[in-house]
Amino acid sequence: MSLFGLGSRNQKTFRPKKNAPSGSKGAQLQKHIDATLGSGNLREAVRLPPGEDINEWLAVNTVDFFNQVNILYGTLTEFCTAANCPTMTAGPKYEYRWADGVTIKKPIEVSAPKYVEYLMDWIEAQLDDELIFPQKLGAPFPPNFQDVVKTIFKRLFRVYAHIYHSHFQKIVSLKEEAHLNTCFKHFVLFTWEFRLIDKGELAPLYDLVESILKL
């Protein structure tokens, strides 16, 4: 089953692909990402292109990684159910509870699919908010922009952690492990390059992260 041959899987989970911020240099930077990814050198692909604004680069990549995780998780929606995954875990030691600080202020225990649904809704709301992710050329990024980006990446990591710990065998049976590993490697190299995730947060997949960074 190809990741992109979505077939008859639960279509609700497949959100429309987000596009890079149009008014910024988003489209231009997206072309740069596509070109450097095509070269196969992920370390090169994550670096800030010379002369580019770091916030523009973070913005376009945030959209890109959101889309990647959405597609990856979407292949698992019939297996990652409230019955199979009643809590959002990454192995026996790590459990994630949901809070967005606005509608849900106190962290609540939810099933893995519910957590991912809350998370994707929350990220989408950030990406659609022009005060956070400006669409117009020259519009300023807010002072807390990089903090918002760090929270998005920290939470996207949790989806990867859940997939690797709870659904890796299913990914293997779908013959998608090479794609998952490449996506995760790209994600790790990017977050490491810009110090977006604290080391402690990486603990559930630390051995894998370390092996990626050493290569």
Side-chain angles (χ1 to χ4, degrees), residues 115-186:
Y115 184 99
V116 176
E117 184 188 325
Y118 276 137
L119 172 58
M120 297 309 179
D121 284 346
W122 177 81
I123 294 176
E124 208 157 15
Q126 310 310 301
L127 298 179
D128 290 342
D129 186 339
E130 292 201 26
L131 295 176
I132 301 174
F133 282 80
Q135 296 286 331
K136 294 193 176 82
L137 190 60
F141 286 87
N144 68 333
F145 177 70
Q146 292 188 18
D147 291 334
V148 173
V149 168
K150 285 177 180 177
T151 303
I152 289 173
F153 276 89
K154 175 178 77 175
R155 290 175 172 175
L156 284 175
F157 170 81
R158 295 171 178 180
V159 181
Y160 274 116
H162 178 71
I163 290 173
Y164 272 107
H165 278 281
S166 299
H167 302 294
F168 189 67
Q169 287 314 311
K170 185 49 68 178
I171 290 280
V172 170
S173 72
L174 292 170
K175 297 189 167 47
E176 296 297 354
E177 73 271 24
H179 184 76
L180 170 65
N181 290 338
T182 302
C183 288
F184 186 61
K185 180 178 180 181
H186 184 200

Side-chain angles (χ1 to χ4, degrees), residues 6-59:
L6 304 181
S8 61
R9 293 188 186 281
N10 181 354
Q11 294 299 318
K12 247 182 12 182
T13 312
F14 291 98
R15 291 149 195 272
K17 191 175 174 201
K18 303 294 289 183
N19 292 317
S22 53
S24 65
K25 293 180 181 168
Q28 185 187 329
L29 290 174
Q30 186 65 51
K31 280 181 188 158
H32 178 88
I33 292 172
D34 293 343
T36 47
L37 280 179
S39 73
N41 185 344
L42 291 176
R43 285 180 190 279
E44 195 53 47
V46 301
R47 289 195 186 112
L48 179 67
E52 295 297 349
D53 178 72
I54 186 167
N55 286 337
E56 297 271 9
W57 186 238
L58 290 174

Side-chain angles (χ1 to χ4, degrees), residues 57-161:
W57 186 238
L58 290 174
V60 74
N61 277 280
T62 301
V63 173
D64 223 29
F65 284 112
F66 168 76
N67 286 330
Q68 275 186 29
V69 174
N70 248 322
I71 291 168
L72 277 169
Y73 182 77
T75 63
L76 295 167
T77 52
E78 68 187 70
F79 314 109
C80 185
T81 62
N84 292 337
C85 303
T87 52
M88 178 64 174
T89 58
K93 285 191 197 166
Y94 301 96
E95 181 190 325
Y96 301 117
R97 297 182 175 208
W98 178 256
D100 58 15
V102 183
T103 54
I104 300 172
K105 293 185 176 168
K106 190 177 174 189
I108 56 170
E109 185 180 292
V110 290
S111 68
K114 194 70 192 165
Y115 184 99
V116 176
E117 184 188 325
Y118 276 137
L119 172 58
M120 297 309 179
D121 284 346
W122 177 81
I123 294 176
E124 208 157 15
Q126 310 310 301
L127 298 179
D128 290 342
D129 186 339
E130 292 201 26
L131 295 176
I132 301 174
F133 282 80
Q135 296 286 331
K136 294 193 176 82
L137 190 60
F141 286 87
N144 68 333
F145 177 70
Q146 292 188 18
D147 291 334
V148 173
V149 168
K150 285 177 180 177
T151 303
I152 289 173
F153 276 89
K154 175 178 77 175
R155 290 175 172 175
L156 284 175
F157 170 81
R158 295 171 178 180
V159 181
Y160 274 116

